[in-house]
Amino acid sequence: SGMAGTQGLLERITQENNVQTRHAVTMRIAVNQVSIATRDLVLLSDEQDMKKAAERLAASRAVYDQADEALGKMFAAKEG
């Protein structure tokens, strides 16, 4: 029926928007973590601490890249 179809459409839109929002929030958090790790790299002088900061930086960039790719695929699927 019309109401059931409308309800289904609204649920699908909401679910898709929630996933997109989750990816965007993940990207925002990763950007903050990249900033912190970059700051730490600049301020630190101990080689071991710098290595840990560089590892955190690389991990945060990877998280960002994964979320960016997933979000990009969602938008590409919408356009295609």
Side-chain angles (χ1 to χ4, degrees):
S1 78
M3 286 297 264
T6 301
Q7 180 66 28
L9 177 62
L10 289 174
E11 286 177 9
R12 194 170 70 243
I13 290 169
T14 302
Q15 288 172 353
E16 185 175 310
N17 286 346
N18 287 345
V19 173
Q20 291 171 348
T21 299
R22 195 166 41 248
H23 290 313
V25 168
T26 297
M27 292 168 70
R28 182 178 55 85
I29 291 168
V31 166
N32 288 340
Q33 292 171 337
V34 164
S35 298
I36 291 166
T38 302
R39 180 209 60 200
D40 291 348
L41 276 170
V42 171
L43 296 176
L44 293 170
S45 58
D46 179 73
E47 188 174 328
Q48 196 63 17
D49 290 338
M50 291 174 71
K51 182 179 177 185
K52 290 177 186 175
E55 290 169 356
R56 285 193 312 272
L57 176 61
S60 294
R61 285 182 173 171
V63 168
Y64 179 92
D65 290 343
Q66 290 171 352
D68 182 44
E69 182 179 349
L71 190 58
K73 285 180 181 177
M74 290 184 78
F75 286 125
K78 277 180 125 176
E79 293 172 4

